[in-house]
Amino acid sequence: MLKLCLCVSAGLPFWEMETRADDVLYLCLEDTFFRIQDRLFRLTDEADSRLHFAVASCKLTDGLIVQLEDYLKEYPDSRLIVIDTLQKVRTASKDNAYASDYGDISQIKEFADRHSLAVIVVHHIRKQNDSDVFNKVSGTTGLTGSADATFVLEKETRASDTARLYCVGRDIEYQEFVLRFRECSWEMVERKGQEQLARESIPPVLFRLVEFMQDKEKWCGTATGLLAAMAETDTPPTVITKWLDEYRTAFLSEKRIDYAYRRKRAG
């Protein structure tokens, strides 16, 4: 977050993406000014005057939004506010957990929409494994449901310097970034968009099927016969049948290949 704030305040590219120089407020509520200064010295020789810090704030329930409104009166050109972390601006609630999560993020979103700026809220993830990485966000789905976008940063192992950043949102396509931690900041190694990720999920044998059909108007036969004609030995007939059915709309039709399957009396 500190690197992002530095880049936006100075109008410098962040992970090869352009930024526009504007005022930035970083609420680093788990840090001290000494710790922030130490990190700044590792990242830059001189921070831009548009970058502002605070290490304490009110809670959401007792004046944080008013404090942010007052800040904007002094710095009306601000376009990015980072709240690090969410837990530092929340108060314990006995209300329904989902309603509480949804309400907290909705307050921040309403403020951001009203002033046409971005607010990034840093939060923790759970340690338990889940097939959907976005289910690891600590709390209920009220947090991710009320936010415009959710980003989950997950290291491969505790000791690893490599991690993946998963991004999903209402106004952005699903993306994944491979990052490496170097000199106090995460540097981008690779960026993959939704189309590239979808393409990587397609079984390689289907690409070879497309090549096989390039000089043919039609081919008819069993799955076993198709694999034999393609000289494929590593794919079982039942599997190729399943994949042909699964990807006939998402992939084969895009390659202008129509596929139909039917059983005859002989089999």
Side-chain angles (χ1 to χ4, degrees), residues 35-75:
R35 193 178 298 161
I36 289 297
Q37 187 179 49
D38 180 59
R39 290 192 190 131
L40 274 173
F41 280 135
R42 297 190 202 181
L43 293 174
T44 183
D45 294 329
E46 185 177 359
D48 195 277
S49 60
R50 296 185 185 92
L51 180 55
H52 313 284
F53 294 96
V55 294
S57 75
C58 291
K59 303 283 188 180
L60 268 169
T61 52
D62 64 2
L64 174 61
I65 300 299
V66 174
Q67 283 185 315
L68 295 178
E69 297 276 6
D70 290 341
Y71 160 79
L72 288 178
K73 291 176 184 176
E74 189 171 354
Y75 302 102

Side-chain angles (χ1 to χ4, degrees), residues 138-163:
S138 183
T140 71
T141 53
L143 292 175
T144 54
S146 54
D148 282 327
T150 302
F151 304 83
V152 173
L153 179 67
E154 187 173 49
K155 294 175 71 173
E156 295 177 354
T157 63
R158 183 181 291 271
S160 176
D161 65 349
T162 305

Side-chain angles (χ1 to χ4, degrees), residues 196-212:
Q196 182 180 355
L197 289 164
R199 187 176 180 85
E200 289 178 358
S201 69
I202 297 170
V205 67
L206 295 186
F207 288 96
R208 296 193 289 273
L209 171 69
V210 172
E211 294 177 8
F212 172 74

